[in-house]
Amino acid sequence: MSGHRRVKDIDYDEEDLYDEVNEDDAEPDTQAELTPEDQANFATLTPVVRAELHEAGLQASDREIQDALWNYYWDVGKSVGYLRGLRGKKVNGGGGAKKEKVKSKFEEVEEERARKAAGGWTSAGLDLGQPESWFHDVTWSHVPEAIVGDLITPTKRRPSMLGGSSKLAKLAEERKRKAEAAKVAATASSLDHLTLDGTHEQSKGRSPDTQPAAKTRNYPARRKEPSPPPKLPEPEPEQEVKEAISDLRAPPTAFGHTLSRSSRNPDQRQTLQVHNLLGSSTSPDAFSGPSPDDIVTRAQGASRSLNNTKSKPQKSIANGVNGLPKSVDALHLNGTSAEQSPVQPKVKSKNMDVTKIWTETAATRRPAAAFVVIGHVDHGKSTLMGRLLLDTGAVHQRDIDRFRKEATEQGKASFALAWVMDTSADERERGVTVDIAQHHFSTDTADFTILDAPGHRDFVPNMIGGASMADIGVLVVDANQLESGLKGQTREHVLLARAVGLERIVVAVNKMDGAVPAWDQHLFRSVSEEVRKLLTETGFDRDNIKLVPCSGLNGDNVATPPAASGLTAWVTQSSQTLISALEDFAGSTATSSESLNNHLRLQITDIFHASSQHPISVSGRISAGTVQIGEPITIMPSSELASIKAIDVADSPVEYAVAGQLVTLHLTADDIEQLERNVRIGDMLCSSSSPIEVVSDFTTTLLSYQPLLPGPVEVHIGRLQLPGRTTSLLELVDAAGGTVKRKPRIVKAGLRAKVKVTVDRALPGDEGDRVVIRADGETLGSGTISGLGERWIGAASGN
Amino acid sequence: MRLIRQSIEKKTGEGRCTMSPEEPEDMWHAYNLIREGDTLRATAVRKVATESLSGSTSTHRVRTTLTITVTKLDFDSHASQLHVSGRVSEENKHVKLGSFHTLDLELNREFTLEKAGGWDSVALDTLKESINEDAKAQMWAVLLNEGLANICLVTSHQTILRQQIETNMPKKRPGSTDHDTKLKKFYQRVYDSLLRQIDLADAKPILLASPGFTASEFQKFFKAKAEGDKKLKPLLVKITIAHAASAHVHALAEVLKSQGVTKSVTDARFSAESQYMDTFLEMLRKDDPKAWYGPKEVEAAAEQGAIGKGGGVLLISNSLFRSQEIKVRKRWVKLVDSVKEAGGDVKILSSMHESGKKLEDLSGVAAILTYPIKDLDELVEGVQG
């Protein structure tokens, strides 16, 4: 039985701490009956107690006696002692004239204390653990508005005696209510005071001057009572504060609060934003109010200054702290609702002004550039790049020798250099590049990143992804097979390179050694003319085109000029090497400060497991903004949150990176597995402060390369490829943007048109993003997003 | 679908028809046949509440034959189930007149259908089509590239996406086998999912299509896995490899019309639709004034008699006939009838096929004319303005 009593006591106590509003709703239990055993006990023991009291010259009603007996678990001695004390006090206090039922504050408190002492009351006896720890590693924040639900507090039954509670319990309820009323009336009792202080503190936390400004959120309904005017007690000296903090328990979260509270009114719905559940204090606005420590200080100060007797210092601290969670909690609610604060405080940020540092160091920095190698299949892109890496020392000769040995065994000796780039078994076996390969090398004056694109028409999507990460294009043309290239992927790649925004291009006229006659200058000239024509037609500026004759297989005029005499004499005189052409362009590659000041955008081109230290890493090109270690980021469209743990540029760690750089970001998140599951290649990594829009359709003004009809298409934005459809051809436009014809039935090749495109999946996009539209393995057109459409809601159902 | 009996007057279209669906595909036909307002008679299980003499009520389920006037149709393409809701139009001892019931059409249980406005030509064609035993071919199509696979069931009338598998494929990087191991894992997942879908007792041909070599790589993987298994071995000979532009479902249309596939697949029907659509699109791309799409344009052409003998083809999506409004439906039936009268060819494309979807993107109706009409769209607009 005492066990049940204990439960009740705790509940009673918690009531004091947490519940104020719902107090009136308390329903006394009515169905309960005493067991026959209990009744027998009462019958036998009541007269005994009465007799004892009589001896002491005191009177007590049956009820009081029974109550005492009940509390002391049939211990006659204790009950008598208690009642004696009670009566005595009553006489002393001068309130003895009152009827028993109307009990004073003193009695109530005394009774409670005695009860606690006798019952061996401990809060630990029922500790369910800190409520907030139940939801410890669940990420709740950034939940879309649409799915934020109402939390209806579970109707937790108050623990009561076995088989329901007795009339005594009813009485207890009654008393408790009175006690509450008495508390409000603020009769001076040390214990009561403390609780009151708690309330004051809490209201302070909520009062407008301590709140972050102008944030409207639905607070839990329980915060209904008007704030009393803030009463700031004098802060106490420092040393006492320290003592208090050592006792501090972690404040429960709002959610924990809600759960641990017993609601006796099931109809009372509490609207609770999921954001509010975050107990984190990382919000920048959290500091605009008083810090939790300040509040502790104040609470402590208040409790001490008012508690004159200081008879129970431990208890007062405990109470002062217990009063605290509410105030801290209130603060949290305000703080977290103020802004979507990320939940990863794991990595410390240096909070550098990256833009400033970057512009300041501009003079001392080596120029860096990324170039994509494009061209028709089998024109020698990978081999040329292998040569480039070998000659610049990025790859060792012994690796090449090993490749050569292996390649010769497979009867493909000429592919040895390409194997530097083509590392997968598939690619080596077939001698075709499938996916973009990324390598770094440095020359005397600049740092480069190679993006080796596949030439085969099936892998054009990969090429689009690669080209959209590059600053410079390197078009590799087989001097002997220009025709096949112009019909095939040479043309398409050039179109696409322009479509994704490349402006400068180096044309490597390859396989000059294989020409008949070798290194034929006339051949180079005629090929140059053809290619230049194609490039200028596509929209490349004449000044931004460089043509270089070379031989990837032998390495002539790649990194070093060929022999100055003999067949190649004209080359050394009239042309620069491929490397120096690239260096020229690299020098003029600079990131505008405008793009640095924009919000961070990085399209994820790869997700991988780098090492056990970095379980999840992403790579890509920063298209806007800056990033530094410790920065909180959001990945769209999944809205996954993460923080930057480390940054690599060109395989070496750095502290920050800026727009235009190809980076690898090592991420950390609360739930790495969830992050891995939800993030896809093509997703957009954004700064958490302004994530990119996610839409389901958009309008684009594009130039068509093939006749364009309404129908199914693939939409490519950089590395992202989505199935979709051109839903309507809005109008044909001329170069200046004027309308030529509304609602054409078809957009013929070479015309500009405004088209509405719907995608079957969420598309993270910005106005001005470059988009390529393909169908059936052909590029239909390319342009920029001119208007974002409907916000993405979810997978559209239907067929 | 098996035709049990029919009593349709050729002239007026009055009468009823009793059919028995035999395979899931037949639900699709039923979905295209049954319209709002039609009278449908089928067996159903209905909960009936009875009140005993003492006043206590008890409910029990009875199998009874119900006749309802259709108010709503709901077709679940994934499960091939058709739910038909309506008001009871013939009272029986269990059910009162006018109460609502939803009939779930079941395989091998007969149903009788009476059309509200009589059986029109399109309905009769659909009926004929549905009871055609020849058009029952099916096959599995797996469209894949590295990291994405779409497993589809292609039947004569539908393409059903059964499962989509997507994983992040890390890029190749020097000194890492991450890509290769992930690729193996991906193949394993596709393999497992495919086997879960296939009914081994009655295995259909399997078409693997991909850009690049992924399909043949997967075939190798499949072979290595299935070689030792007696149950799976017969599957190996049924695999065909084809090239696809991408792994997205809409690339299937292109795959199905390629020659290698038409040869290997027993029934050419699925590719027939693709081919008609293809011819049309090709003409349109060349801006041939004989190819037009859009309801007004096509109707105008039909009025002029331009979709007639000697090459006139009307392509129309069957989704247009599923319109809830009888008026709209009649409009299309009229169009079909007028083209037929003029001697033109009418092709009703399934909206559940990729070619049909393409047609839907072009407003659902298109035509190849017998003679060219220039600026038909402007003519139409002129009439309106």
Side-chain angles (χ1 to χ4, degrees):
Chain A
M1 207 32 113
S2 70
H4 293 292
R5 202 60 246 180
R6 216 179 281 154
V7 169
K8 208 163 163 41
D9 274 344
I10 285 158
D11 200 35
Y12 191 100
D13 199 57
E14 278 186 356
E15 221 76 89
D16 284 346
L17 296 167
Y18 297 111
D19 260 2
E20 279 135 15
V21 179
N22 292 343
E23 213 58 64
D24 330 39
D25 308 329
E27 285 174 28
D29 280 319
T30 48
Q31 336 92 313
E33 282 293 320
L34 289 172
T35 63
E37 216 180 311
D38 290 339
Q39 274 167 348
N41 274 330
F42 275 134
T44 49
L45 293 173
T46 315
V48 180
V49 176
R50 172 150 309 158
E52 295 243 14
L53 284 173
H54 202 70
E55 269 176 31
L58 291 167
Q59 294 230 321
S61 71
D62 278 10
R63 243 193 204 150
E64 279 178 286
I65 292 168
Q66 286 183 2
D67 207 24
L69 281 170
W70 184 256
N71 285 327
Y72 290 110
Y73 200 64
W74 317 123
D75 188 324
V76 175
K78 279 181 183 170
S79 304
V80 172
Y82 162 67
L83 286 168
R84 199 183 268 166
L86 194 69
R87 290 291 124 163
K89 251 197 179 171
K90 208 169 184 180
V91 173
N92 295 343
K98 282 183 193 169
K99 278 194 87 183
E100 288 104 339
K101 264 202 113 178
V102 190
K103 298 199 113 191
S104 82
K105 229 14 250 170
F106 292 95
E107 291 164 343
E108 198 55 46
V109 171
E110 229 19 73
E111 198 178 314
E112 189 182 283
R113 245 184 230 162
R115 212 184 293 162
K116 279 176 187 168
W121 175 84
T122 49
S123 69
L126 200 90
D127 200 355
L128 297 172
Q130 294 295 336
E132 72 268 33
S133 68
W134 306 343
F135 303 98
H136 171 56
D137 44 6
V138 185
T139 47
W140 309 84
S141 64
H142 298 286
V143 178
E145 207 80 44
I147 63 164
V148 171
D150 286 337
L151 188 83
I152 300 165
T153 48
T155 51
K156 183 177 131 197
R157 274 197 68 85
R158 306 184 63 217
S160 56
M161 278 178 252
L162 203 63
S165 53
S166 66
K167 284 175 182 167
L168 284 163
K170 224 187 217 174
L171 184 70
E173 289 280 0
E174 189 79 5
R175 278 179 189 165
K176 194 164 65 186
R177 261 156 62 186
K178 291 214 177 96
E180 285 303 319
K183 269 183 204 168
V184 175
T187 7
S189 148
S190 59
L191 265 173
D192 289 352
H193 244 305
L194 289 168
T195 337
L196 258 173
D197 292 342
T199 7
H200 272 297
E201 281 305 316
Q202 179 202 353
S203 52
K204 247 185 286 160
R206 266 180 280 119
S207 65
D209 52 341
T210 54
Q211 228 174 36
K215 303 294 172 194
T216 47
R217 282 277 167 172
N218 289 337
Y219 295 107
R222 66 193 146 103
R223 314 223 164 267
K224 265 194 289 195
E225 75 271 52
S227 315
K231 247 192 256 168
L232 293 172
E234 293 287 304
E236 284 278 281
E238 195 72 16
Q239 124 208 32
E240 279 194 35
V241 175
K242 275 177 190 159
E243 190 191 339
I245 290 167
S246 65
D247 263 54
L248 183 62
R249 285 190 289 166
T253 62
F255 196 31
H257 240 314
T258 319
L259 285 182
S260 62
R261 259 160 37 87
S262 63
S263 168
R264 261 145 284 114
N265 187 355
D267 288 328
Q268 186 169 3
R269 297 184 64 177
Q270 299 199 339
T271 315
L272 195 66
Q273 298 292 332
V274 179
H275 298 302
N276 297 352
L277 302 177
L278 297 167
S280 132
S281 57
T282 48
S283 153
D285 285 20
F287 299 104
S288 57
S291 79
D293 284 1
D294 289 347
I295 287 161
V296 176
T297 315
R298 276 186 213 151
Q300 283 301 310
S303 69
R304 269 161 200 265
S305 59
L306 288 164
N307 187 0
N308 293 327
T309 57
K310 286 201 177 180
S311 55
K312 290 180 177 180
Q314 261 192 323
K315 199 131 207 172
S316 71
I317 288 166
N319 272 286
V321 174
N322 282 352
L324 179 68
K326 265 185 276 181
S327 51
V328 173
D329 181 37
L331 190 83
H332 279 166
L333 284 172
N334 296 340
T336 40
S337 61
E339 207 148 285
Q340 293 191 318
S341 71
V343 278
Q344 289 82 24
K346 285 176 190 164
V347 189
K348 271 209 169 156
S349 171
K350 286 187 177 173
N351 283 324
M352 293 179 281
D353 186 349
V354 175
T355 315
K356 205 174 140 204
I357 300 172
W358 185 256
T359 28
E360 276 169 3
T361 57
T364 56
R365 227 178 14 244
R366 279 160 63 82
F371 61 87
V372 64
V373 191
I374 55 175
H376 194 66
V377 67
D378 283 344
H379 278 203
K381 292 180 298 298
S382 297
T383 302
L384 182 63
M385 289 309 114
R387 168 60 65 185
L388 209 57
L389 288 175
L390 176 64
D391 289 357
T392 52
V395 177
H396 288 291
Q397 180 64 46
R398 64 163 185 274
D399 291 328
I400 302 291
D401 290 343
R402 186 161 50 86
F403 290 149
R404 183 155 291 141
K405 198 177 152 221
E406 287 170 29
T408 317
E409 276 166 15
Q410 290 190 20
K412 296 174 180 138
S414 65
F415 281 98
L417 281 167
W419 280 19
V420 176
M421 289 292 179
D422 300 343
T423 48
S424 78
D426 230 27
E427 292 176 318
R428 290 187 175 178
E429 195 181 310
R430 293 167 201 273
V432 173
T433 310
V434 172
D435 203 353
I436 293 278
Q438 198 170 322
H439 279 269
H440 310 285
F441 71 93
S442 298
T443 66
D444 296 339
T445 58
D447 298 329
F448 288 102
T449 303
I450 301 179
L451 299 158
D452 184 27
H456 194 280
R457 63 179 289 242
D458 278 355
F459 309 118
V460 168
N462 294 342
M463 178 265 159
I464 297 173
S468 57
M469 291 163 71
D471 307 303
I472 307 168
V474 172
L475 175 65
V476 179
V477 184
D478 186 340
N480 314 302
Q481 289 180 33
L482 182 63
E483 276 312 304
S484 72
L486 286 182
K487 272 190 211 128
Q489 267 57 58
T490 301
R491 184 178 291 276
E492 191 173 12
H493 278 191
V494 166
L495 282 176
L496 288 170
R498 191 74 197 96
V500 299
L502 287 182
E503 281 173 354
R504 283 156 300 178
I505 195 157
V506 178
V507 183
V509 182
N510 198 17
K511 304 195 184 177
M512 284 301 288
D513 58 320
V516 188
W519 294 94
D520 182 3
Q521 194 173 0
H522 295 290
L523 177 69
F524 174 67
R525 263 199 213 131
S526 67
V527 169
S528 296
E529 268 326 297
E530 288 272 337
V531 175
R532 203 192 293 272
K533 202 175 125 213
L534 170 68
L535 289 173
T536 44
E537 272 172 11
T538 318
F540 283 95
D541 194 0
R542 264 191 115 75
D543 301 339
N544 286 334
I545 305 169
K546 282 178 192 282
L547 292 128
V548 178
C550 64
S551 162
L553 199 58
N554 302 332
D556 295 322
N557 209 32
V558 176
T560 47
S565 58
L567 290 172
T568 53
W570 63 272
V571 178
T572 36
Q573 285 156 23
S574 65
S575 173
Q576 47 185 164
T577 61
L578 180 59
I579 290 275
S580 70
L582 285 169
E583 281 172 346
D584 281 0
F585 276 155
S588 56
T589 307
T591 314
S592 69
S593 60
E594 195 185 325
S595 64
L596 290 185
N597 288 326
N598 281 341
H599 297 293
L600 170 68
R601 297 282 184 267
L602 174 140
Q603 190 181 50
I604 296 174
T605 53
D606 195 11
I607 302 164
F608 60 101
H609 172 90
S611 66
S612 52
Q613 278 178 332
H614 302 307
I616 183 161
S617 308
V618 298
S619 62
R621 178 179 193 264
I622 304 178
S623 54
T626 62
V627 66
Q628 59 181 302
I629 291 175
E631 193 163 321
I633 50 111
T634 304
I635 296 169
M636 298 304 278
S638 56
S639 296
E640 285 292 332
L641 296 174
S643 294
I644 310 287
K645 203 163 146 198
I647 306 174
D648 286 353
V649 172
D651 293 339
S652 44
V654 293
E655 286 192 324
Y656 61 87
V658 302
Q661 285 185 310
L662 297 179
V663 296
T664 297
L665 302 176
H666 304 290
L667 303 181
T668 174
D670 272 2
D671 188 344
I672 301 260
E673 269 177 39
Q674 183 190 329
L675 186 70
E676 208 169 353
R677 215 168 32 239
N678 290 344
V679 173
R680 296 252 174 276
I681 287 170
D683 283 1
M684 193 65 89
L685 187 145
C686 319
S687 56
S688 285
S689 57
S690 79
I692 198 167
E693 290 270 331
V694 178
V695 294
S696 58
D697 63 273
F698 61 90
T699 49
T700 166
T701 311
L702 52 76
L703 175 68
S704 71
Y705 307 130
Q706 300 278 338
L708 189 66
L709 289 164
V713 292
E714 276 145 47
V715 179
H716 296 259
I717 298 178
R719 184 77 195 200
L720 180 70
Q721 42 172 313
L722 302 170
R725 48 199 69 236
T726 42
T727 26
S728 53
L729 311 177
L730 298 173
E731 56 190 30
L732 292 177
V733 292
D734 52 27
T739 307
V740 176
K741 185 184 177 180
R742 282 189 190 282
K743 300 212 167 184
R745 65 168 192 151
I746 182 168
V747 179
K748 280 183 248 174
L751 295 181
R752 279 173 197 283
K754 214 167 157 186
V755 176
K756 186 177 168 193
V757 181
T758 311
V759 283
D760 296 349
R761 295 174 50 186
L763 177 134
D766 260 336
E767 273 181 34
D769 280 355
R770 290 173 183 276
V771 48
V772 175
I773 289 181
R774 305 186 87 235
D776 296 344
E778 284 175 336
T779 303
L780 299 184
S782 72
T784 53
I785 296 183
S786 52
L788 295 176
E790 299 256 321
R791 226 170 210 232
W792 176 261
I793 308 162
S797 58
N799 45 6
Chain B
M1 201 111 72
R2 204 148 52 90
L3 184 68
I4 308 295
R5 71 190 84 87
Q6 59 114 336
S7 56
I8 300 168
E9 286 274 337
K10 271 275 149 81
K11 274 181 190 166
T12 57
E14 276 168 32
R16 59 185 67 177
C17 178
T18 305
M19 290 155 278
S20 167
E22 288 179 313
E23 50 182 306
E25 174 96 340
D26 290 340
M27 292 301 170
W28 166 249
H29 292 302
Y31 177 51
N32 281 311
L33 268 177
I34 303 169
R35 293 278 69 82
E36 279 81 358
D38 292 358
T39 310
L40 181 71
R41 188 177 167 82
T43 61
V45 176
R46 180 142 173 133
K47 231 187 233 170
V48 178
T50 47
E51 195 174 335
S52 69
L53 287 171
S54 62
S56 66
T57 54
S58 63
T59 55
H60 54 269
R61 294 157 71 84
V62 283
R63 190 169 267 287
T64 173
T65 306
L66 289 177
T67 310
I68 60 168
T69 308
V70 179
T71 55
K72 211 182 95 199
L73 284 132
D74 178 20
F75 179 62
D76 179 350
S77 64
H78 284 263
S80 284
Q81 281 180 339
L82 183 61
H83 313 288
V84 189
S85 317
R87 273 170 182 276
V88 173
S89 59
E90 266 176 42
E91 200 169 34
N92 67 15
K93 66 174 178 177
H94 299 298
V95 192
K96 276 194 184 134
L97 193 70
S99 60
F100 279 93
H101 190 86
T102 300
L103 287 171
D104 298 332
L105 291 191
E106 287 168 77
L107 291 183
N108 298 319
R109 293 222 181 254
E110 298 175 11
F111 67 88
T112 306
L113 182 69
E114 194 174 341
K115 303 292 283 182
W119 294 76
D120 56 41
S121 63
V122 174
L124 282 173
D125 280 350
T126 315
L127 180 62
K128 227 181 264 169
E129 181 76 29
S130 67
I131 57 178
N132 179 5
E133 285 291 318
D134 300 335
K136 269 193 178 171
Q138 283 188 345
M139 70 166 182
W140 290 98
V142 184
L143 286 156
L144 69 169
N145 65 15
E146 292 187 1
L148 175 69
N150 284 306
I151 300 177
C152 308
L153 177 65
V154 184
T155 69
S156 306
H157 303 92
Q158 299 178 84
T159 305
I160 306 161
L161 174 63
R162 278 298 176 85
Q163 198 159 3
Q164 186 172 61
I165 298 138
E166 200 182 2
T167 46
N168 277 327
M169 199 59 72
K171 275 202 302 197
K172 58 183 184 184
R173 54 189 70 242
S176 163
T177 53
D178 214 14
H179 177 84
D180 289 354
T181 46
K182 271 267 172 90
L183 191 63
K184 278 267 151 61
K185 247 188 212 165
F186 170 68
Y187 284 158
Q188 183 66 45
R189 272 181 70 191
V190 178
Y191 174 80
D192 290 344
S193 316
L194 183 61
L195 288 190
R196 226 173 290 138
Q197 297 287 349
I198 292 175
D199 176 12
L200 287 174
D202 176 26
K204 310 284 189 310
I206 303 169
L207 175 71
L208 302 176
S210 78
F213 340 101
T214 318
S216 47
E217 285 297 311
F218 179 66
Q219 188 196 22
K220 264 192 221 162
F221 180 89
F222 199 110
K223 232 178 183 169
K225 284 266 163 190
E227 200 80 87
D229 195 326
K230 257 190 190 166
K231 272 190 211 155
L232 298 179
K233 229 176 168 179
L235 275 181
L236 293 177
V237 293
K238 298 193 171 188
I239 297 178
T240 315
I241 303 284
H243 178 271
S246 80
H248 300 300
V249 184
H250 60 69
L252 193 61
E254 189 210 28
V255 178
L256 289 181
K257 73 191 182 211
S258 69
Q259 272 211 318
V261 176
T262 27
K263 242 188 252 168
S264 66
V265 174
T266 45
D267 179 34
R269 211 208 111 91
F270 359 85
S271 40
E273 282 190 359
S274 281
Q275 269 159 5
Y276 273 110
M277 208 44 217
D278 219 39
T279 326
F280 172 75
L281 287 174
E282 196 49 47
M283 289 173 81
L284 197 56
R285 276 199 198 103
K286 286 180 185 150
D287 210 12
D288 189 327
K290 272 160 79 177
W292 286 98
Y293 70 88
K296 281 173 206 150
E297 286 85 347
V298 172
E299 270 177 333
E303 256 171 54
Q304 294 187 20
I307 318 171
K309 260 184 206 161
V313 182
L314 174 72
L315 300 166
I316 187 161
S317 164
N318 63 4
S319 67
L320 293 179
F321 300 110
R322 283 200 299 272
S323 167
Q324 301 214 352
E325 280 176 61
I326 295 173
K327 230 173 129 187
V328 177
R329 187 183 144 77
K330 283 216 165 125
R331 175 184 170 189
W332 300 122
V333 174
K334 204 182 125 202
L335 177 68
V336 169
D337 288 345
S338 73
V339 169
K340 276 187 184 165
E341 229 167 80
D345 213 349
V346 177
K347 294 287 159 200
I348 298 174
L349 268 58
S350 165
S351 64
M352 288 289 285
H353 261 322
E354 281 311 311
S355 52
K357 276 183 196 164
K358 268 190 186 170
L359 183 61
E360 293 224 307
D361 284 332
L362 299 171
S363 77
V365 55
I368 301 171
L369 311 189
T370 349
Y371 53 87
I373 307 176
K374 275 197 177 175
D375 301 325
L376 186 59
D377 48 345
E378 274 155 35
L379 281 177
V380 171
E381 259 172 50
V383 169
Q384 280 211 317

